[in-house]
Each structure stands twice: as C-alpha cells, then as structure tokens.
Amino acid sequence: MLLLCLDSSAVASAALVTGAGEVFGSFASPDTRSHAEVLAPAVRELLAGHGVAGGDLDAVLVGTGPGPFTGLRAGIATARALAFAWDVPLHGLMSLEALAQDAAEDARAAGHEEFLVLTDARRKEVYWARFVLAPDGPRLVAGPGVAAAERLPALPAYGRGAGIWADHLARPVPAFAAAQPTASSLGLAAARRTARGEALPADTAPLYLRESDAKVPGPRKKALA
C-alpha cells in the first residue's frame, strides 16, 4: 500500500508512506501562513521526484486537525481534490495522532503510561489530546479538545503547545517543545493502525473545535434622518 499523506493543521506537509510504515519522501514548510500556495506544488514535486503518478497511489490520507480554519481547510481541500481527480480512496486521521506517534518512543523510554500532546491554538489556548501507551503504540483516551494549558491534567506534555505554555503545565517535555504534526508521522500513525487491524476512517470533516475569528457583518445601521 502506498499513501500520499497531507497535513496542514500546523505546518504544510506532505509525504509518501507505505502501509508497512516506510517513508519514501516528505516535505514540510516552516511557514504557517502559506499553506494553500505551497502544498499543491510540493505534492507535484514529491510525486515526480519519486516517479509516482496519482494513479499509482492506493489512497490519500489527510490530517483533520484540530487546527486554524484557513490552514486546515487548505490541506483537506487539496486532499479531497486529488483523491477525486485520481479516483483513489480518501481517509482522514486526527492530526494529533501524528504528534503522539512522534512522542511514543520517548514516553515509553521515560516510563510514561499516559501523556498529552499539545499544539498551539492561539487565543492563549492549546489543542490537546490524551493518550495511553499500549504495547502496540499510543491509543487515544480523551480529546481532542481546546483549553487553557493550566486546565489540563498533570501528565507529561509533548508538542509546541507545551513549549509555548511550559510555565502553565505540570510536566512539559522540553525535548519536544517545538514538535508539530507532520504528514510523515501521520502516515506512520496510519500504518500502526492498519497493522493492528483497524480500518482508516473515511471521514475528512475538519476538527475546528471552536468558531472562526471571521464574522459575517451585521446589517448596516440606518443613517439618521
């Protein structure tokens, strides 16, 4: 199985990942403000660089967030368009599972049975999810949610959200203070799921978790007579 994986919940990223968990190639942009502009060209170069055509893919996988409206929408819209154009299945996976995939080895080495993963939600809040470390990898037990960091349980906390709000958390993990979800780690999380016999979700609805900052203008006030 060969997956094209996309995630734009934080950085814009793309990767080619096999069902066995091998990453053929990946791309990640450090710019969090140009997802729509960079993602499609990055996918084209990624496929061309590895001699892969759209029809060669077994599926497209996209991170569904949580994340900001504009960035998250760019990745999901790109994934939906490519899957439709290439006539291949489309799957969605919560982006925080990618971060849990990255944190799992460190958590196991440190003897953590449960841990949190956090990304920046702005507005002095974080997006969070809680995982238990099972023998076959991390499993989601709570979340995703959005909250102020000081309201979260006193568990080891991984990710950029934990780095930003380290002073408000009981157990931030400094080595992962800049970690963000990426498409390659999302693909590895998907491979872990399929290895234990779980089907990948078909739902690609975005996990916004709260209302947009943009508001529809109200009716214009009448001028005084």
Side-chain angles (χ1 to χ4, degrees), residues 69-204:
F69 277 72
T70 303
L72 190 57
R73 186 165 54 239
I76 293 175
T78 300
R80 289 174 176 175
L82 294 177
F84 177 80
W86 294 330
D87 192 25
V88 297
L90 175 65
H91 301 287
L93 200 60
M94 182 182 70
S95 301
L96 294 178
E97 291 205 28
L99 199 49
Q101 170 71 27
D102 290 338
E105 184 176 348
D106 182 87
R108 193 180 300 281
H112 303 322
E113 295 182 359
E114 290 190 56
F115 62 91
L116 301 170
V117 293
L118 279 60
T119 58
D120 181 21
R122 304 172 187 172
R123 302 189 200 172
K124 299 182 179 180
E125 292 181 323
V126 293
Y127 295 120
W128 65 271
R130 181 173 178 171
F131 289 82
V132 62
L133 194 55
D136 56 359
R139 289 180 178 266
L140 180 70
V141 293
V146 59
E150 58 266 24
R151 296 178 56 192
L152 298 177
L155 292 170
Y158 293 81
R160 186 167 183 267
I164 293 172
W165 298 104
D167 292 344
H168 296 254
L169 294 163
R171 301 170 66 185
V173 180
F176 284 75
Q180 304 256 52
T182 62
S184 55
S185 295
L186 190 77
L188 295 178
R192 187 195 69 242
R193 274 183 168 236
T194 55
R196 62 193 188 201
E198 297 180 17
L200 295 178
D203 185 8
T204 60

